[in-house]
Amino acid sequence: MSTGLIIALIVIAAAVLVIAAVLALRTRGPQKGRSLRRRFGPEYDRAVARHDGDTKAAERELAERVERHGSLRERPLEPAQRQQYETRWTAAQERFVESPREAVVEADRLLAELAGARGFPDGGRYEEQLAALSVHHAGHVDGYRRVHRAAHADSVAGTTAGQNGGPGTEEMREAMIEARQLFEELVGPAERHRHRAGRDQQPDQSGKPAESRAHHTPWAFNRRHAKGS
């Protein structure tokens, strides 16, 4: 075999390898994007919006979150801890009637502490904690974001819009409701909530299930009774 033929074969082989690598990268790109979209759901769209529609930049950010926090294992809560957190959340909800702002401040503090207790980064590193939560609780993490933003806004007044650009009572109410979904995911394992759901269907002496009775219990987010802070 002549030297020229050997060189030609080497060049052809190298070209084939380069083309294969390019095709592999092009194929992996869309697959990676679809995987991130499935994993993060609405959080994927929020990341794209923050990057002004640049999907590649958004996917790099989300991929970095997974790399940093994907291996995190959540610690279980002791029954006494769980009860304490649930009691504090109920108190915050009730406080919303008279002081919406104090309620969202307490909810923000409580979520930070609860996430820390479950093994996420400390609440003092809010951005890092939020990023880690988004990897494992992407569907509900925006509630925490909204409560945190409301808790750290300027003092507000009124029931529909805040002064100085701060959130109004209705916005804070919606933030609390959304944040509760993350709270319920963090406060206990799924098995516990399934057990509670089954228990709530058991009727009392009146013949009504507990869940039905609970729906008739007024609580702090009733729009008609919430006052401005």
Side-chain angles (χ1 to χ4, degrees):
M1 185 178 294
S2 66
T3 302
L5 181 57
I6 293 174
I7 293 174
L9 291 174
I10 292 173
V11 170
I12 293 171
V16 169
L17 290 174
V18 169
I19 293 172
V22 170
L23 291 175
L25 288 173
R26 288 182 177 179
T27 302
R28 187 176 62 179
Q31 289 178 343
K32 179 180 178 182
R34 286 193 293 270
S35 175
L36 290 170
R37 184 183 288 275
R38 283 195 301 270
R39 177 163 195 159
F40 284 94
E43 191 68 10
Y44 178 96
D45 296 326
R46 295 186 192 102
V48 172
R50 279 198 308 276
H51 287 278
D52 299 322
D54 187 342
T55 57
K56 291 187 181 298
E59 288 171 2
R60 282 196 299 270
E61 176 193 329
L62 296 176
E64 288 172 2
R65 292 191 207 177
V66 174
E67 184 176 353
R68 290 199 310 272
H69 305 296
S71 61
L72 184 149
R73 294 293 179 267
E74 297 182 58
R75 294 194 296 262
L77 295 175
E78 296 294 331
Q81 286 180 294
R82 184 178 298 116
Q83 181 61 50
Q84 181 184 44
Y85 286 124
E86 290 179 334
T87 298
R88 288 174 60 188
W89 187 271
T90 299
Q93 289 182 166
E94 293 171 349
R95 188 179 305 163
F96 192 90
V97 174
E98 297 296 333
S99 183
R101 181 167 177 78
E102 288 183 10
V104 297
V105 168
E106 173 60 13
D108 176 57
R109 182 186 303 117
L110 179 54
L111 284 171
E113 292 180 16
L114 176 55
R118 292 300 309 272
F120 290 93
D122 182 78
R125 296 179 292 155
Y126 165 72
E127 293 294 342
E128 192 71 6
Q129 187 182 69
L130 189 74
L133 284 167
S134 74
V135 173
H136 297 271
H137 299 278
H140 302 304
V141 72
D142 197 52
Y144 182 22
R145 183 184 286 115
R146 292 184 63 185
V147 158
H148 184 81
R149 187 164 54 238
H152 290 79
D154 294 333
S155 298
V156 299
T159 59
T160 57
Q163 297 175 343
N164 301 321
T169 301
E170 178 63 15
E171 184 177 345
M172 289 188 285
R173 185 188 70 87
E174 292 174 356
M176 285 281 288
I177 290 174
E178 189 173 351
R180 181 181 175 86
Q181 298 175 11
L182 177 63
F183 172 81
E184 289 179 343
E185 282 200 353
L186 290 175
V187 81
E191 291 78 6
R192 173 177 173 273
H193 293 297
R194 285 197 294 269
H195 173 73
R196 184 172 65 184
R199 182 187 62 199
D200 288 344
Q201 295 302 319
Q202 297 300 318
D204 66 358
Q205 294 179 353
S206 69
K208 294 182 179 180
E211 183 180 30
S212 176
R213 299 193 306 274
H215 288 168
H216 291 283
T217 303
W219 76 296
F221 292 169
N222 189 305
R223 300 186 189 187
R224 293 173 298 176
H225 301 294
K227 298 180 180 179
S229 56

